[in-house]
């Protein structure tokens, strides 16, 4: 069921939010034993919120999400509800406040079912670095669901919630959405407040919707977008009604195919799926043009300096004093810091802290960090030039469909390279969406990525909608029990 369909049923009183919420909680208890999407299920809180939602609906005061059960990536602060960022270091952390996005969802009436699995501190592409169990792909339980917002994608695909919120620093919304056959959007940097999002790389992080279809994506974006004085990088700019943009179509739009995104290493099934999506956009009246993003090859390298550099600074707060696990046996304060952090962080997070601290240190700053920022500017220039000749870009989301669990855990570089097509949008700050477009012969979903200039989420949604409506894959559902 979509959020929009549930909205209709709730408004017509054909179902109550308590019934709907109970149905999802029941599904979680049956399917999540296998899927492992949830870290925390808040049964009581969800049922109380659902009962409150039912009262509002009865009073005729329903807001857009009143009574709608959602899951949240465990990187968003939820007042009174454990928030771990997938890390052992935050095992007992109960935030005393709500993230702005959490608060906005609650104000819109949403029912929060619980918090879902993710790579530790959002560092990863498979959710396998999660300290609370690895979520798997509902379409094939022996495959990764993607990451780092893997629990979000898996919980939506397995119908263990109606929709979810993820975060995207280098592809973490779009890539798992693609691997799990759902819609995932990274909005423009600054569109959605990051207040209360446990920071990974602050100049790249952005929260966004992960939903069953494009209309739900617009509905959720409406609820979470907008200026927040608590996040100085959130942009004070009116929020359009994203639902109103859904049916604009693509007729007369120029859609660019970035040549560099179709280079060697692209899986033939992914290439074919994107090719088919491009033909459908052409048939819907778009003009397809080839464009070039010449610095694409350098984006991953630049990202793996900028993101760890920011992470090494952001994660210094987990020191056993201000936040996080504390070792109680240490003889002095230095040893306490060292042992607390050594025990609390997993290997991938430690690797990033070390890379970041190294890249920022005296003598290396100019060679690495400053150079990476220069590359970031060049990548941004590529997009400015490309968008001078087209309205949107279409490409794959990931070079391959989901891979087998464990396949890349021993090879960080292979894992990093799988984000080559999603990282540029974060370096540049532009919005991008992943839309389901096909399946591999092995039965794994394949998504298509659309990118737009800053604040053109409306065009993204309109184009995504055309792809969704012209697609022949509708109706296919995973069966995680088998
Ligand atoms: N996989 C990328 C990384 O590990 C992106 C993660 C993300 O977007 N949070 O950094």
């Amino acid at each position: 069921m979509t959020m929009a369909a549930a909205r209709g049923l709730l408004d017509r009183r054909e179902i109550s939010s308590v019934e709907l919420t109970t149905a999802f909680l029941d599904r979680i208890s049956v399917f999540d034993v296998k899927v492992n999407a949830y870290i925390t299920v808040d049964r009581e809180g969800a049922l109380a919120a659902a009962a409150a939602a039912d009262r509002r609906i009865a009073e005729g005061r329903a807001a857009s999400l009143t009574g709608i059960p959602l899951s949240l990536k465990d990187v968003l602060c939820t007042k009174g509800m454990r928030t771990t960022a997938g890390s052992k270091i935050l095992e007992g952390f109960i935030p005393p406040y709500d993230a702005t996005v959490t608060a906005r969802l609650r104000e819109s009436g949403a029912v929060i079912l619980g918090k879902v699995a993710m790579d530790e501190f959002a560092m990863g592409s498979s959710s396998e670095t999660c300290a609370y169990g690895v979520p798997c792909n509902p379409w094939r339980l022996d495959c990764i669901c993607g990451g780092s917002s893997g629990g979000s994608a898996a919980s939506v695909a397995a119908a263990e919630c109606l929709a979810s919120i993820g975060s995207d620093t280098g592809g973490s919304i779009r890539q798992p959405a693609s691997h799990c056959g759902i819609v995932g959007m990274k909005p423009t940097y600054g569109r959605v407040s990051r207040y209360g999002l446990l920071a990974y790389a602050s100049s790249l992080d952005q929260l966004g919707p992960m939903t069953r279809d494009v209309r739900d994506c617009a509905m959720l974006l409406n609820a979470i977008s907008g200026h927040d004085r608590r996040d100085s990088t959130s942009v004070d700019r009116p929020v359009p009604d994203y639902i109103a943009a859904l049916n604009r179509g693509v007729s007369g739009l120029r859609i660019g195919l970035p040549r560099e995104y179709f280079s060697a290493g692209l899986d033939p099934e992914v290439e074919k799926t994107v090719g088919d999506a491009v033909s459908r956009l052409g048939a819907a009246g778009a003009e397809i043009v080839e464009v070039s993003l010449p610095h694409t090859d350098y984006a991953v390298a630049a990202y793996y300096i900028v993101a760890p550099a920011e992470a090494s600074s952001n994660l210094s707060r987990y020191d056993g004093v201000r936040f996080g696990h504390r070792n109680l046996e240490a003889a002095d304060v230095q040893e306490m810091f060292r042992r607390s952090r050594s025990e609390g962080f997993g290997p991938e997070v430690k690797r990033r802290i070390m890379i970041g601290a190294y890249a920022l240190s005296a003598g290396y700053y100019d060679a690495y960090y400053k150079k990476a920022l220069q590359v970031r500017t060049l990548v941004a220039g590529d997009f400015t030039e490309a968008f001078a000749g087209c309205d949107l870009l279409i490409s794959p989301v990931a070079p391959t469909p989901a891979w087998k669990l464990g396949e890349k855990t021993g090879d960080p570089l292979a894992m990093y390279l799988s984000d080559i097509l999603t990282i540029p949008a974060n370096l540049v700050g532009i919005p991008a969406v992943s839309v389901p477009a096909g399946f591999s012969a092995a039965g794994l979903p394949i998504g298509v990525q659309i990118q737009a200039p800053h604040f053109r989420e409306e065009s993204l949604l309109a184009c995504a909608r055309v792809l969704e409506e012209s697609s022949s894959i509708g109706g296919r559902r995973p069966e995680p029990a088998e």
Side-chain angles (χ1 to χ4, degrees):
M1 192 192 294
T2 60
M3 286 189 349
R7 176 82 272 135
L9 292 173
L10 288 166
D11 289 344
R12 292 191 302 273
R13 319 273 173 84
E14 285 167 32
I15 190 171
S16 72
S17 177
V18 169
E19 285 165 338
L20 192 61
T21 302
T22 307
F24 279 109
L25 290 168
D26 289 349
R27 266 191 83 85
I28 293 169
S29 51
V30 174
F31 292 105
D32 213 49
V33 184
K34 298 227 165 102
V35 178
N36 251 329
Y38 281 82
I39 294 178
T40 303
V41 177
D42 181 20
R43 195 177 183 94
E44 274 163 38
L47 287 171
D54 283 333
R55 286 193 294 276
R56 279 191 84 95
I57 295 169
E59 290 160 7
R61 295 189 299 127
S64 64
L65 303 179
T66 302
I68 302 283
L70 305 177
S71 74
L72 301 180
K73 185 175 183 178
D74 209 15
V75 74
L76 267 175
C77 282
T78 40
K79 187 176 179 178
M81 197 194 303
R82 180 168 77 143
T83 300
T84 69
S87 181
K88 243 175 35 190
I89 210 162
L90 282 177
E91 189 151 18
F93 177 53
I94 305 211
Y97 70 105
D98 270 338
T100 296
V101 163
T102 310
R104 288 204 172 145
L105 293 171
R106 290 198 210 269
E107 279 155 26
S108 307
V111 171
I112 296 167
L113 293 168
K115 309 294 289 292
V116 282
M118 54 182 285
D119 279 298
E120 185 175 1
F121 283 104
M123 297 174 187
S125 313
S126 65
S127 298
E128 288 163 296
T129 69
C130 184
Y132 301 89
V134 177
C136 42
N137 196 312
W139 295 90
R140 276 198 52 174
L141 296 173
D142 58 342
C143 289
I144 58 127
C145 54
S148 63
S149 312
S152 291
S155 65
V156 175
E160 294 178 12
C161 60
L162 283 172
S164 189
I165 300 288
S167 69
D168 190 312
T169 306
S172 280
I173 289 177
R174 291 160 283 156
Q175 186 257 28
S178 174
H179 290 331
C180 289
I182 65 164
V183 176
M185 183 195 281
K186 179 198 99 65
T188 305
Y189 184 78
R191 177 76 297 183
V192 178
S193 167
R194 293 181 297 108
Y195 177 75
L197 160 69
L198 302 184
Y200 162 17
S202 309
S203 78
L204 303 160
D205 296 341
Q206 187 63 196
L207 292 157
M210 300 180 71
T211 58
R212 201 170 302 290
D213 71 0
V214 178
R215 166 178 281 273
D216 280 5
C217 180
M219 200 168 158
L220 209 45
L221 192 62
N222 274 348
I224 62 174
S225 295
H227 181 240
D228 176 12
R229 62 179 180 77
R230 290 187 168 117
D231 171 6
S232 62
T233 63
S234 88
V235 175
D236 193 359
R237 187 180 164 122
V239 179
D241 178 3
Y242 292 111
I243 291 179
L246 283 173
N247 293 322
R248 286 188 192 164
V250 290
S251 171
L253 291 188
R254 286 165 74 93
I255 299 184
L257 281 171
R259 191 178 310 137
E260 294 78 5
Y261 283 36
F262 294 85
S263 59
L266 190 62
D267 176 280
E269 288 181 307
V270 172
E271 189 166 7
K272 190 180 164 303
T273 304
V274 179
D276 168 64
V278 171
S279 322
R280 287 187 273 129
L281 292 177
E287 184 192 342
I288 310 296
V289 295
E290 194 174 291
V291 298
S292 174
L293 299 168
H295 296 95
T296 300
D297 273 355
Y298 306 101
V300 172
Y303 173 88
Y304 275 98
I305 295 294
V306 173
E310 295 184 20
S312 72
S313 164
N314 276 326
L315 270 55
S316 64
R317 74 191 62 162
Y318 306 104
D319 56 9
V321 177
R322 289 171 294 173
F323 292 96
H325 160 76
R326 175 186 298 183
N327 175 290
L328 296 172
E329 282 124 45
D332 61 35
V333 72
Q334 281 301 333
E335 190 192 339
M336 191 278 288
F337 287 152
R338 193 170 56 245
R339 287 177 66 174
S340 300
R341 287 167 69 80
S342 301
E343 289 162 3
F345 289 133
E348 183 61 27
V349 172
K350 287 177 185 161
R351 178 164 28 239
R352 307 253 182 141
I353 292 173
M354 285 189 277
I355 292 174
Y358 181 82
L360 288 174
S361 54
Y364 296 109
Y365 180 92
D366 286 348
Y368 295 114
Y369 186 66
K370 197 170 148 208
K371 196 53 88 188
L373 293 185
Q374 287 167 336
V375 173
R376 188 174 186 176
T377 303
L378 292 175
V379 173
D382 282 359
F383 280 86
T384 309
E385 258 177 53
F387 284 132
C390 65
D391 302 286
L392 297 169
L393 296 170
I394 183 160
S395 72
V397 180
T400 66
W403 54 89
K404 288 265 170 66
L405 283 159
E407 200 176 302
K408 294 190 185 175
T409 41
D411 187 352
L413 200 57
M415 192 79 90
Y416 298 173
L417 282 170
S418 68
D419 294 325
I420 184 159
L421 308 175
T422 47
I423 276 173
N426 300 77
L427 290 174
V428 181
I430 55 172
V433 66
S434 169
V435 196
F439 284 90
S440 70
L444 287 162
I446 298 172
V448 161
Q449 173 170 237
I450 315 162
Q451 304 183 79
H454 295 95
F455 294 103
R456 297 283 172 74
E457 281 82 358
E458 292 165 280
S459 321
L460 277 190
L461 288 161
C463 181
R465 178 79 160 164
V466 169
L467 282 179
E468 182 177 75
E469 285 188 328
S470 59
S471 134
S472 52
I473 59 168
R476 239 166 118 165
R477 296 274 168 262
E479 281 163 38
E482 297 188 350

